[in-house]
């Protein structure tokens, strides 16, 4: 996530992670979210995001900037190709 964010010009890792957590929780299909954390500060930030799961305007702006980037489009195309061709 962070390399994609940086390539899109998003350098606020905490903001990007918070938006990602909230976006995942907003999906109807989500039943569990497993968070990776490098330290207790990251864990605390992720838990706050999970406790307040509604996407904020700031979250939406971060996600829109990511979606509008060329690197996101290339990554998405690669994923589509991977699933169309199978897991080989």
């Amino acid at each position: 996530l962070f390399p994609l964010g940086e390539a899109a010009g998003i350098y606020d890792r905490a903001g990007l992670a918070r938006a990602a957590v909230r976006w995942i929780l907003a999906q109807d299909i989500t039943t569990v979210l497993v968070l990776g954390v490098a330290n207790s500060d990251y864990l605390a930030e992720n838990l706050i995001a999970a406790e307040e799961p509604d996407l904020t305007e700031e979250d939406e702006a971060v996600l829109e900037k990511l979606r509008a980037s060329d690197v996101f489009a290339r990554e998405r195309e690669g994923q589509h190709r991977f699933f169309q061709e199978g897991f080989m």
Side-chain angles (χ1 to χ4, degrees), residues 6-81:
E6 288 177 8
I10 302 168
Y11 301 103
D12 177 7
R13 287 182 163 206
L16 182 58
R18 185 173 44 253
V21 166
R22 289 179 176 155
W23 182 86
I24 291 167
L25 291 173
Q27 306 310 302
D28 290 336
I29 195 168
T30 301
T31 57
V32 67
L33 173 62
V34 178
L35 300 170
V37 295
N39 62 50
S40 60
D41 291 337
Y42 295 160
L43 175 60
E45 289 174 13
N46 285 335
L47 289 176
I48 289 169
E51 289 174 351
E52 300 171 8
D54 294 332
L55 287 166
T56 65
E57 288 181 17
E58 182 181 344
D59 296 332
E60 292 284 2
V62 168
L63 294 172
E64 186 55 38
K65 186 172 183 178
L66 183 62
R67 288 183 197 115
S69 70
D70 291 339
V71 69
F72 183 84
R74 287 192 304 272
E75 181 68 23
R76 189 173 181 111
E77 178 59 32
Q79 289 178 358
H80 283 275
R81 208 171 24 255

